[in-house]
Amino acid sequence: MRLTRPNPLRIYTYIIALLLYVPVIVMIAYSFNDSKFIGEWRGFTLKWYKVALGDNAFLETLYNSLTVAVSSAIVSIIIALPAALASRKDRLSLGLVEPLIYPPIVIPEIAEAVALMLFLISLGFPLGWLSVFIGHTAFNVAYAYITLAPSIGASRSLEEAARTLGAGPLTVFTKIILPLSMPGIIAALMLTFMLSFTDFIKTLFTTGPGFQTLPLLIWNRARRPGLTEYSSQNALNALASILIALSLSIALAYTAYMVKRLGRGNA
Amino acid sequence: MNRSTLLVLALPLVAYLMAFFYIPFIVLSYYSFIDAETGRVTLDNYLEIIREPAYFNVVLYSIVLAGETVVLTLILSFPASYYIALHSRGAEKVALLIVMITPFWIDFLLRALAMKNILYLLGFREGYYSMLAAMVYDYLPFMFLPLYASLSRISPSILEAARSLGARDRDLILRIILPMSLPGIIAGFTLVFLMSLTEYVIPSLLGGTKGFTIGTMIYHLFLSGDMWGEGSALTLAITLGLLAASIIVSRRLSRFEAYQA
Amino acid sequence: MKGVAISLRKVSKKYGRVEAVKDIDLEAPGGSITTLLGPSGCGKTTTLRIIAGLEKPDAGSVLFDGVDVTGLPPEKRGIGMVFQDLALFPHMTVFDNIAFGLRVRRVPENEIRSRVNNVLELVNLDPSEYGRRRISELSGGQQQRVALARVLVIEPRVLLLDEPFSHLDYKIRQKLIGEVRRLQRRLGITIVYVTHDQEEAMSISDKIVIMNNGRIIQEGRPDEVYENPANLFVATFFGEANLLEPGLAGVDASDIAVIRPERVKLEPKDPVDVIYNGVVEDVVFQGPYLRVDVRINGETIKVIYPKINGGRIRVGERVRVGWNLSDVKVLGSE
């Protein structure tokens, strides 16, 4: 049934959808612009991509961001997974864990970043890779838990069925619980990786001299677009386009994985 | 597995959050009660943020900015989420949902940067409206999703039932659609408000001289200036305020949803 | 293969303050079907889970053929259990579900293949067609058969069924109950069956155990229990019963007297011990018979009236209703 004639509403929806992408498309388009500035179009070029790939600062901060994000994603899942399993089975664990989980998600990131910075400084903790990793993992464990908790494990009767069929607790874990938890684990890995990889605020406050991640580099250059090859507007656009291509291909792979699992009636 | 094994499983998470989330806040509150020069316990930091009108003005300014962001994202995304939830179907619905959700995968900072580019191309320089435009652009998906979630719970049969009872378009909107989407409106409102109130990236990139918000002020108090005492007091006050507000809203919301279900 | 005899001795189980099972003694004879019947919350599922080893009793012991298995975990009891929600593994094919119990027993893969195929045929599923299917691709009845095949393949000494057919429609349920009976006779295993459905219990059981509030109220052959209910709860839960006012029954006023609706005679042709005049309140057509409510002296009496007796009965009609005193059951008060 139609409430009103849907056409104006439909056109509006398509316009909003389009507007969400216009800035990104323009940014990608200008990354092929043979000029240092976005204001003037001087024809097609791939030179900004060559510049980006020869840009040591870009490659170094990309490497930094990847190592922090991968480690933080894995470690936060290792920390959150047992808690998610425990709180599914036991109200006391649930009561212990749940109230602690929400503040890291609700409290402004800038506040927790400041607090962690003060804490680390008063301990005399050196600021760099490790402090950034610790900071990212502090919010990641919370997000990993809320992603894992609803999807993790098998229903009680599946575990019991496996027991009555002769499987011991270890077999139940490896053959039933773990395979059924895989979609949740993959989802949590994706989320925590992206949160860490794109994090800006926590990194800004908890990093020290000599350690920079990719978002910090981009922010620094975006604030003061320079005239050097590396920091010009369109060099930055090329860099941003590479990152967008990277995130979207990860998103695509992830969606394909989930669709495949859903298609197998396995979600 | 018995209870103590299960508690041991929960322990690493609890310990990590204690060590690197909760204890840092205790350290923060410690700094907020310490006089930086004498090292004595004092309430001066709190008195100063109350006394000094600059703090109050910045907080008020940020609330206005966040409020405008929330209202604009709500107005812009409601018709679209309504159309996708209740009027689109099949492939169109899937395609539109993918289109609306994909921006979540693109880094927030990169979207702000893209907005800065296009505003530059259109002739806008740093300032209040550039900052607001980027906020609305970056936060729109965060408003869309909860709205869509609550609107998609309205089944066509509910609308048909209302129709069969004699409801006109106006009645449908005022008596069915708006009340049923209220949880989504409240959730989106809270989410976007919480995030945009302390936003740092967009004011610092696009605000220019108008970019002095809570986020940039905290940055300056800690990283440019050296005013840890007042900075801690301000940060703690804002944190506790927002935490209390979000607890109240989520309590109300869950009661409201339980009542609707 | 002969199924084991199961005994529970003075078994109790509490959940928090709720006593789910109170000090029960139960015998399930080897090679027969014993049904635990009762309303929800009566303790029947807890009893079954205690037999399976999924719950540890707070007190008492569980014996299999006289051997105490109380401390044994479920995987060491040699049982098979079909769960109410079937608990089929959604991430495995039909074949892998059925092979699970054999794989954890380290049975060689070629033997697994033949045993799984045999058991699929036993439950009337074509191995070549269904083996590779996902659980989500099966109908409810087919999932039911797979759940049964998955426990039969491990050749359990004891088969425990927890309301396995409750979510299936009537016809499929009847068919599967028949199949379970046939399989049980063929394999000679012991089955303990939990249900809240009295009709299911009557048609499947060798022995019926009626439970309420965590206690066993009555046990025996289905027909014995039906004909001689121990108290009013059994009389009304297991079959239908008219509770007779002392004046009507023709028995001592201090006792509770009941009569089954099919024992009440409407317009009796043969002489009966007591007879009353009444008014028809309601008539429900039920295929081979009519259910008639007759109002007598302010009481409503339910009557099952075979259609074969002929005649048309209309609401508001005056009728005569009677019964023989030998059909009235006098029950102890409970």
Side-chain angles (χ1 to χ4, degrees), chain A residues 1-4 6 9-10 12-14 16-17 19-24 26-27 30 38-39 79-80 82-83 86 89-93 96-97 99-101 103-104 106-108 110-112 114-119 121-122 133-134 137-138 141 145 190 194 198 200-201 204-205 215 218-219 222-223 233 236-237 240 243-244 247-248 250-251 254, chain B residues 1 3 6-7 9-10 12-14 16-25 27-28 31 75-77 79-80 82-84 87 89 92 96 98-100 102-103 105-107 109-111 113-118 120-121 137 140-141 156 159-160 163 169 172-173 177 194 198 200-201 204-205 215 218-219 222-223 228 232 235 238-239 242-243 246:
Chain A
M1 68 164 272
R2 294 280 142 107
L3 186 64
T4 53
L9 206 55
R10 186 179 194 177
Y12 175 84
T13 305
Y14 281 84
I16 287 286
L19 284 178
L20 276 179
Y21 288 86
V22 166
V24 175
V26 168
M27 179 160 82
Y30 274 93
I38 53 171
I79 291 174
K89 292 199 169 188
D90 178 35
R91 298 183 69 89
L92 191 67
S93 305
L96 183 71
V97 171
L100 294 178
I101 286 302
V106 172
I107 285 174
I110 197 163
E112 62 174 280
V114 165
L116 185 62
M117 177 190 82
L118 293 178
F119 173 63
I121 288 175
S122 39
F133 163 82
I134 287 172
T137 307
V141 288
Y145 176 85
M190 295 296 303
M194 291 303 276
T198 62
F200 175 77
I201 294 288
L204 182 68
F205 282 86
I218 292 173
W219 178 70
R223 274 213 305 181
Q233 284 174 323
L236 198 59
N237 284 342
L243 288 178
I244 288 171
S247 345
L248 290 187
I250 293 174
Y254 175 69
Chain B
M1 276 184 282
R3 173 154 280 178
L6 290 169
L7 280 176
L9 289 178
L13 177 65
V14 172
Y16 194 95
L17 283 175
M18 279 299 162
F20 299 115
F21 187 85
Y22 290 100
I23 290 174
F25 271 99
V27 174
L28 180 80
Y31 274 100
I75 291 171
L76 287 172
S77 58
Y82 170 73
Y83 174 76
I84 298 173
H87 287 293
R89 55 199 60 183
E92 186 191 21
L96 283 172
I98 290 173
V99 164
M100 296 302 286
T102 304
W105 289 93
I106 301 174
D107 187 355
L109 173 63
L110 297 182
R111 280 187 288 139
L113 186 59
M115 200 61 184
K116 185 175 170 149
N117 265 335
I118 199 153
Y120 184 91
L121 274 173
Y137 174 65
L140 196 72
L159 297 181
E160 282 162 9
R163 277 270 192 241
D169 284 359
L172 283 193
I173 291 168
I177 293 164
L194 281 184
T198 58
Y200 173 75
V201 170
S204 81
L205 278 183
I218 291 176
Y219 175 86
F222 283 97
L223 295 186
W228 289 10
S232 300
T235 307
I238 287 167
T239 302
L242 290 179
L243 194 60
S246 68

Side-chain angles (χ1 to χ4, degrees), chain C residues 14-280:
Chain C
K14 269 191 197 178
Y15 295 112
R17 267 193 232 137
V18 183
E19 283 185 277
V21 170
K22 298 173 200 165
D23 197 28
I24 63 168
D25 286 295
L26 175 80
E27 300 290 334
S32 70
I33 301 184
T34 302
T35 298
L36 307 180
L37 174 71
S40 61
C42 72
K44 57 189 192 295
T45 295
T46 306
T47 307
L48 193 75
R49 292 170 61 82
I50 287 171
I51 297 172
L54 294 168
E55 303 286 349
K56 243 194 160 79
D58 299 330
S61 49
V62 182
L63 310 178
F64 282 13
D65 274 344
V67 180
D68 192 325
V69 296
T70 316
L72 229 51
E75 65 268 25
K76 302 229 166 90
R77 291 197 181 191
I79 53 156
M81 179 158 169
V82 178
F83 291 75
Q84 189 168 10
D85 65 354
L86 302 186
L88 294 169
F89 305 130
H91 59 304
M92 297 180 191
T93 60
V94 167
F95 185 95
D96 290 338
N97 260 279
I98 300 172
F100 184 87
L102 299 175
R103 291 202 172 118
V104 300
R105 285 174 173 75
R106 306 266 181 271
V107 173
E109 207 53 38
N110 52 351
E111 189 189 332
I112 288 180
R113 200 163 309 120
S114 68
R115 280 172 73 175
V116 171
N117 289 345
N118 286 343
V119 82
L120 272 170
E121 273 163 16
L122 190 69
V123 297
N124 288 322
L125 288 174
D126 180 4
S128 59
E129 192 187 339
Y130 288 100
R132 261 170 297 171
R133 292 233 188 141
R134 296 241 148 220
I135 298 306
S136 53
E137 296 165 353
L138 303 179
S139 71
Q142 289 166 342
Q143 292 188 358
Q144 192 57 66
R145 286 157 203 268
V146 174
L148 211 52
R150 187 175 69 174
V151 296
L152 291 177
V153 78
I154 58 176
E155 295 171 359
R157 305 185 296 162
V158 174
L159 185 55
L160 307 173
L161 304 170
D162 185 6
E163 308 214 18
F165 306 135
S166 57
H167 58 291
L168 297 176
D169 62 47
Y170 185 77
K171 279 209 164 147
I172 299 175
R173 199 161 71 210
Q174 292 304 314
K175 192 167 178 261
L176 284 166
I177 286 171
E179 282 176 25
V180 167
R181 277 231 69 125
R182 267 194 299 285
L183 274 169
Q184 187 272 334
R185 263 186 238 124
R186 208 161 117 195
L187 305 172
I189 52 180
T190 308
I191 293 182
V192 182
Y193 190 96
V194 160
T195 184
H196 66 274
D197 184 324
Q198 44 141 330
E199 207 181 312
E200 216 170 280
M202 277 187 220
S203 56
I204 205 168
S205 320
D206 294 312
K207 177 180 178 178
I208 220 161
V209 177
I210 295 185
M211 296 184 70
N212 195 25
N213 292 327
R215 290 184 201 282
I216 292 173
I217 308 297
Q218 190 175 5
E219 52 191 306
R221 284 205 327 262
D223 54 322
E224 284 171 4
V225 175
Y226 186 79
E227 292 302 335
N228 297 298
N231 60 25
L232 187 59
F233 170 78
V234 178
T236 50
F237 187 77
F238 195 51
E240 264 187 299
N242 289 301
L243 179 59
L244 299 177
E245 285 296 298
L248 280 182
V251 293
D252 188 353
S254 64
D255 287 319
I256 292 170
V258 296
I259 186 165
R260 298 284 186 198
E262 70 273 18
R263 299 282 181 182
V264 180
K265 299 193 166 42
L266 194 77
E267 297 291 348
K269 293 188 181 83
D270 305 323
V272 288
D273 295 346
V274 290
I275 193 143
Y276 295 99
N277 286 314
V279 178
V280 174

Side-chain angles (χ1 to χ4, degrees), chain B residues 70-83:
Chain B
V70 168
V71 170
L72 286 172
T73 51
L74 179 62
I75 291 171
L76 287 172
S77 58
F78 193 89
S81 47
Y82 170 73
Y83 174 76

